[in-house]
Amino acid sequence: MPRYEITIEKDACDGIFACLTRDPRFVEGERGLATIDPDGDPIYDCEGDVTDTAERVVATFDDDRMDEAKQAAAACPTDAIVVKEVDG
């Protein structure tokens, strides 16, 4: 299974939350912007590493759900989300 990284640039996110309807790991954060919560999915038990800084949220997963993350990124009207495959 590929390991992939999801990045949300906070400056670009404007809280429209189109991503939330495509992938349940995307949730509304404290500041009214999108963030990622591996436990936010009520159906799948996800494990991921999430780093949340002032500038961005970066999450790394090694499951088979990269397509869902890509759909969430494609739905973002401000292009605040990037999904890419990463090594190891």
Side-chain angles (χ1 to χ4, degrees):
M1 239 175 286
R3 186 169 171 81
Y4 60 98
E5 183 177 272
I6 304 168
T7 302
I8 303 172
E9 295 294 340
K10 291 183 178 180
D11 285 346
C13 180
D14 63 2
I16 292 175
F17 303 122
C19 55
L20 275 64
T21 64
R22 304 319 193 276
D23 186 331
R25 296 173 291 183
F26 287 81
V27 297
E28 182 176 352
E30 292 179 13
R31 293 185 7 188
L33 301 176
T35 190
I36 299 171
D37 180 1
D39 296 324
D41 190 330
I43 297 172
Y44 296 102
D45 187 19
C46 296
E47 288 188 24
D49 298 319
V50 179
T51 303
D52 191 339
T53 68
E55 295 85 25
R56 66 189 51 87
V57 178
V58 179
T60 306
F61 294 93
D62 59 0
D63 55 30
D64 62 353
R65 300 180 64 203
M66 186 165 47
D67 285 342
E68 289 177 54
K70 286 181 176 181
Q71 289 174 13
C76 180
T78 62
D79 295 326
I81 304 167
V82 174
V83 180
K84 65 179 181 179
E85 193 170 329
V86 293
D87 293 330

